[in-house]
Amino acid sequence: MPHARETAVYTHGHHESVLRSHTWRTAGNSAAYLLGALKPHMRILDIGCGPGTITADLAALVPEGHVTGLDREPGVLERARAEAGKRGLTNAGFAVGDVHALDFPDDTFCVVHAHQVLQHVGDPVRALREMARVTRPGGFIAVRDADYAAMTWYPASPGLDDWLDLYRRVARANGGEPDAGRRLKAWALAAGLTDVTATSSAWTFSTPEERAWWSGLWADRTVASAYAGRAVDSGYATHDRLAQVADAWREWGARDDGWFAVLHGEILCRKDV
């Protein structure tokens, strides 16, 4: 097995405002492109599982199989275990691990899945090679990632323009690639994967409830999460600038005509038999 190594810093951390977003995610709203390939008996590895809501959904969809949720942060796995327990799932387990050096034998899983993970790693091509290594011949590597530069909103807001520029600077300084969605197919081909289907989908926030939720979590994340600390410590922003960005988020969220779309790239790769 290759030796695990840290290659990037997870920009967001696990502040409540971050987990507020992560626990909203489901297989339906975050992995729909994969669901048609699932069979009841499959063994699935869910990389970067966080609090485990997608993992639990996948486990319910493979009742004769098993899902392993993997994350680098031991603390968040306690929430994932609690989520699976709350749903009465007996075919889900969780472990600490690094996508660059997966601690599993070759050809272990029918599906290896990662949602919004590769944007945060330093070597996404190596990560995809590792994902393919532990996938059985004929199995699937499934990846979905946001593309920050392709996010769009209405009405125009200089404060949100500032947010986007700042976030991309901080993420890249941490070793990641915030515009990962558009690069997934290229990374997969560079990793040696050949049967690659590339698609896209979006989250859209427009109703009063959606705007309040989305703007609120980003306003809080901008001033209180690990991202905020890294933005200040790296010299990319001051606390005052972050407060102004947070205010811009709240102002956008209060607009009746507010609309925000988060584009994601997706790849579903079949491993050669």
Side-chain angles (χ1 to χ4, degrees):
M1 294 288 176
H3 180 65
R5 61 191 178 98
E6 301 281 341
T7 61
V9 175
Y10 179 47
T11 296
H12 298 286
H14 291 88
H15 183 263
E16 181 278 330
S17 60
V18 179
L19 294 178
R20 199 185 314 164
S21 172
H22 291 181
T23 54
W24 167 82
R25 299 173 185 175
T26 66
N29 67 29
S30 300
Y33 71 103
L34 166 63
L35 302 188
L38 298 184
K39 306 298 182 186
H41 66 277
M42 283 181 160
R43 292 179 57 84
I44 300 174
L45 177 63
D46 185 23
I47 295 172
C49 67
T53 50
I54 296 175
T55 317
D57 283 352
L58 294 175
L61 293 169
V62 292
E64 301 164 25
H66 187 272
V67 181
T68 300
L70 193 77
D71 204 279
R72 284 171 47 178
E73 175 53 51
V76 78
L77 291 179
E78 293 305 311
R79 293 188 63 141
R81 292 185 182 99
E83 180 69 24
K86 180 178 70 176
R87 301 194 198 188
L89 296 167
T90 59
N91 65 332
F94 299 89
V96 176
D98 178 0
V99 68
H100 294 96
L102 297 170
D103 192 20
F104 301 101
D106 295 358
D107 306 337
T108 298
F109 299 97
C110 306
V111 176
V112 178
H113 168 260
H115 183 265
Q116 294 208 17
V117 172
L118 294 192
Q119 65 179 284
H120 298 296
V121 306
D123 192 343
V125 173
R126 176 178 172 176
L128 281 162
R129 289 189 183 122
E130 270 294 275
M131 293 171 70
R133 180 184 65 78
V134 302
T135 302
R136 294 175 179 173
F140 296 94
I141 301 98
V143 179
R144 184 174 190 256
D145 250 290
D147 194 300
Y148 276 76
M151 293 184 188
T152 189
W153 58 84
Y154 184 88
S157 166
L160 292 191
D161 291 341
D162 195 23
W163 159 76
L164 182 57
D165 176 69
L166 177 61
Y167 178 82
R168 293 171 75 217
R169 288 173 182 270
V170 173
R172 288 194 171 119
N174 286 339
E177 175 46 71
D179 304 340
R182 69 189 65 191
R183 291 172 164 82
L184 293 182
K185 183 179 180 181
W187 288 341
L189 295 175
L193 300 171
T194 56
D195 187 351
V196 181
T197 300
T199 55
S200 63
S201 60
W203 294 334
T204 304
F205 305 101
S206 180
T207 69
E209 295 78 16
E210 290 166 348
R211 294 195 317 271
W213 180 78
W214 185 242
S215 64
L217 70 85
W218 267 109
D220 293 345
R221 190 182 303 191
T222 298
V223 296
S225 70
Y227 157 68
R230 288 166 184 145
V232 172
D233 292 344
S234 63
Y236 286 105
T238 64
H239 290 292
D240 286 345
R241 181 183 179 190
L242 293 179
Q244 291 168 4
V245 170
D247 286 343
W249 270 110
R250 296 188 186 97
E251 290 167 6
W252 172 84
R255 291 284 302 248
D256 290 339
D257 57 353
W259 178 91
F260 199 107
V262 181
L263 181 70
H264 293 78
E266 304 157 343
I267 51 169
L268 187 63
C269 312
R270 190 80 177 259
K271 183 174 177 178
D272 292 339
V273 177

